[in-house]
Each structure stands twice: as C-alpha cells, then as structure tokens.
Amino acid sequence: MNSIKQTFSIKDLENLCGVKAHTIRIWEKRYNLLSPNRTDTNIRTYNLKSLQKLLNVTYLVNSGYKISRISKLNEQEINEYVRSIVSDNSSKNQAINSFKISMLNYDLELFLGTYEQLSQKRNFRQIFIDVFIPLLKEIGLLWQTDTINPSHEHFVTNLIKQKLLLNIEKLQYNKPTKTDKAFVLFLPENEIHELGLLYINYEILLHGYRAIYLGPSIPLDSLPSMLSFHTNSVFVSYFTIKPEKDNIDKYVKDFNSIICTERISEFWMLGKQIIHLSKNSATNHRYFDSINDLIAEL
C-alpha cells in the first residue's frame, strides 16, 4: 500500500478535477465541502477520499446541479445522484473519473468494472475514441505537471493496451474483404509509444483490410522484405518522440531510398513529430493530423 499515492495538493486536485484551486477554496470556506489536513507550514493536503468526492461533485456541477444544493448532501447521497444521472451521453465523463481513481489507487477491479459497464452500452471503437483517448490526453498532462508518476501512467496504459489486443485478436480471425491494398504498421527505432498505432491496426482490420503489425523500434532496412506481403503495401508509422525534429526529414528520405527502390510504396505518417516535417510533394507520402483523419481514408 505504500506505493499508492495517498495525499494530494490543491494543485493536484485542480489538475485531476478541472476545478480551479480558487474555486475549491471557496467551496471549502462557504460550503464546508472538503476538510483538508494541513502541514506544519499550513499547506492544504487532501486524501484519496476527498479527491473522489470532488470528482463526483464536479460531475454533478457539470451536469447542471448547483453547488449550494450539492453541499447539503452527504457522500452516499452524492454517489446516488451521480449514479442516477449517468446516461449514454454523459457516462463517459464519469467513466474517465473512475479510470483516474483506478489509476491513482492501482485498482484493477475498478478499471475492469468501469470498462464492463461501458461495454454494455458502447462498442470498442466508441469506448476508445470517446473515453480512452480523452483519458490518455489527461494522463499526459497529469504526468507533465507531476500530479502522477510514471508507474500510474504505465498501470493504466497497459490495461488499455490489453483491451486493444483482445479486440484486435477477435478481428484477426475474420477473412479480409478488401484486397486492393494491405498495411504494414511499424514504429521508428527507439519509438515505444504504440497505443495509437495499435488502435490504427484495429481500425484497418475493422475496415476489412489485411495488416501486418510489426510494433515498436523497427529499423528501416528490415522493411524491404515486407514488399512481398502484397503488391500494394501501405506503410504506416506513428511519430510520437522519434524521429527527432532535426532528423525527421532525413528519416522520410531514407524510407524512400531503402523501401522504394523497386516500386513506390505509400507511406502514411501521423503523430506529434510530423509538425517538424518539411512537407514535400512526394506522391507516396501522406500526413494525417489525427487518427480520425486516417480512419476517414480507409
């Protein structure tokens, strides 16, 4: 239990709940909403129970309830109100909160239970796009602000990866229905952030295409052998941290010189690093600003 984060600063609460620290202080003073502990230097600290209460209160406020009304409810009543207003349209916000609590407490059962509830109302694509992508964006910001540590991030991203792999495997048993092209998915050397590429693999299979998923840290000189996979092979890569901005133009040129010696193959690219590319007019290069933009081309 010592590895579980037990106390939070008011800045942590602001980052996790999306409520300004100034507003939290007002809610404490005016409505006695939270009762923080204080350090010897009079700095507020909050426990996990306070965080969970504030997440639920925030959810109710965002759903149209007045804070003056919420403040008169006990914790059990707050939880009941939250459960009663969760609907198909709004449950994603509560699910994101539950996944964040699961992450902070390394709570596998809460993660699985929340996912199971979502899957009763949404297909996997809806869960990933509506819930997991916003959650992952929030986690990135929480990590940048030191609200969470790498172990929190790894815990939840590995659980999301497990769900992706399970859903990919289900599709892999289906015979491809589209044969005009096939896809080879890979990440550059020293690039290990593969959730985005894994989800693209899922969508490619869902759309009825053949796909070979090679995964992270693939040298370019190992790719020419993939040309025999299909007469029209499309290579797809996701640049999150690699190639670095000073090397990315060279990387794309190297792709052409190594892969496209016998025949031209399309190269589809997306990820944060593509903003550093000098977009050229090469007909085999495609750049996508988002996963949804790429999906629209399938």
Side-chain angles (χ1 to χ4, degrees):
M1 292 293 290
N2 291 335
S3 63
I4 297 174
K5 186 165 182 174
Q6 299 284 356
T7 59
F8 303 87
S9 67
I10 196 167
K11 189 66 176 178
D12 288 339
L13 263 61
E14 179 179 275
N15 291 332
L16 285 160
C17 302
V19 180
K20 294 293 184 184
H22 174 68
T23 302
I24 296 172
R25 293 190 191 97
I26 290 175
W27 287 357
E28 285 176 12
K29 184 175 181 180
R30 187 175 300 171
Y31 303 109
N32 198 28
L33 192 70
L34 301 174
S35 300
N37 295 317
R38 291 183 182 268
T39 66
D40 294 339
T41 54
N42 205 34
I43 296 174
R44 289 172 168 84
T45 63
Y46 301 82
N47 59 25
L48 192 62
K49 192 173 181 180
S50 294
L51 169 61
Q52 188 159 7
K53 181 179 180 181
L54 186 59
L55 283 167
N56 283 333
V57 168
T58 304
Y59 179 72
L60 292 178
V61 169
N62 291 338
S63 298
Y65 287 75
K66 293 186 179 299
I67 187 63
S68 57
R69 179 183 175 189
I70 300 169
S71 65
K72 296 173 184 176
L73 305 174
N74 60 39
E75 287 190 33
Q76 182 178 348
E77 290 171 330
I78 288 173
N79 292 338
E80 289 173 355
Y81 268 76
V82 167
R83 284 193 293 268
S84 70
I85 64 173
V86 168
S87 64
D88 286 342
N89 293 328
S90 61
S91 62
K92 68 176 184 180
N93 298 316
Q94 185 62 13
I96 290 172
N97 286 347
S98 293
F99 284 135
K100 283 193 282 189
I101 292 292
S102 165
M103 172 187 68
L104 290 165
N105 211 21
Y106 305 106
D107 190 334
L108 174 62
E109 290 76 13
L110 179 57
F111 181 95
L112 295 176
T114 303
Y115 180 84
E116 181 62 27
Q117 287 182 338
L118 284 171
S119 64
Q120 292 173 7
K121 299 177 180 179
R122 289 174 160 81
N123 59 38
F124 182 72
R125 170 192 269 179
Q126 292 169 327
I127 293 173
F128 195 89
I129 291 176
D130 294 343
V131 180
F132 283 157
I133 287 180
L135 174 67
L136 290 167
K137 287 180 179 178
E138 283 198 43
I139 288 171
L141 293 172
L142 294 173
W143 183 81
Q144 290 173 21
T145 57
D146 291 326
T147 305
I148 61 173
N149 61 48
S151 67
H152 292 119
E153 180 187 17
H154 283 235
F155 173 77
V156 76
T157 54
N158 276 310
L159 288 172
I160 293 172
K161 182 178 177 180
Q162 287 178 26
K163 294 303 179 186
L164 256 174
L165 292 172
L166 285 170
N167 282 276
I168 287 170
E169 183 180 11
K170 292 176 185 176
L171 294 174
Q172 286 172 331
Y173 287 102
N174 299 333
K175 187 176 180 179
T177 58
K178 298 178 181 177
T179 58
D180 60 307
K181 65 180 71 172
F183 293 84
V184 178
L185 299 95
F186 72 99
L187 295 178
E189 287 186 86
N190 300 315
E191 175 65 82
I192 59 172
H193 297 81
E194 64 174 329
L195 277 182
L197 193 70
L198 270 173
Y199 183 71
I200 292 168
N201 187 39
Y202 168 82
E203 284 285 349
I204 287 169
L205 295 171
L206 188 65
H207 281 75
Y209 290 102
R210 292 183 67 197
I212 291 291
Y213 186 85
L214 302 180
S217 201
I218 301 297
L220 282 176
D221 58 14
S222 69
L223 294 178
S225 61
M226 300 307 302
L227 293 171
S228 60
F229 171 52
H230 194 280
T231 55
N232 184 15
S233 296
V234 178
F235 291 82
V236 183
S237 196
Y238 203 116
F239 303 158
T240 302
I241 59 171
K242 298 290 182 177
E244 294 170 339
K245 63 179 182 178
D246 293 335
N247 298 322
I248 193 165
D249 284 329
K250 181 180 183 302
Y251 183 85
V252 175
K253 284 184 179 180
D254 288 346
F255 173 89
N256 282 342
S257 62
I258 294 171
I259 312 300
C260 302
T261 54
E262 296 182 13
R263 69 172 188 262
I264 302 297
S265 294
E266 286 189 70
F267 190 15
W268 292 12
M269 294 163 270
L270 70 167
K272 290 191 295 186
Q273 292 297 92
I274 68 166
I275 64 171
H276 303 298
L277 266 169
S278 302
K279 308 281 177 66
N280 58 46
S281 58
T283 56
N284 64 321
H285 296 171
R286 298 289 305 277
Y287 312 102
F288 298 93
D289 292 329
S290 69
I291 290 176
N292 282 335
D293 288 345
L294 187 146
I295 291 170
E297 288 295 312
L298 295 175

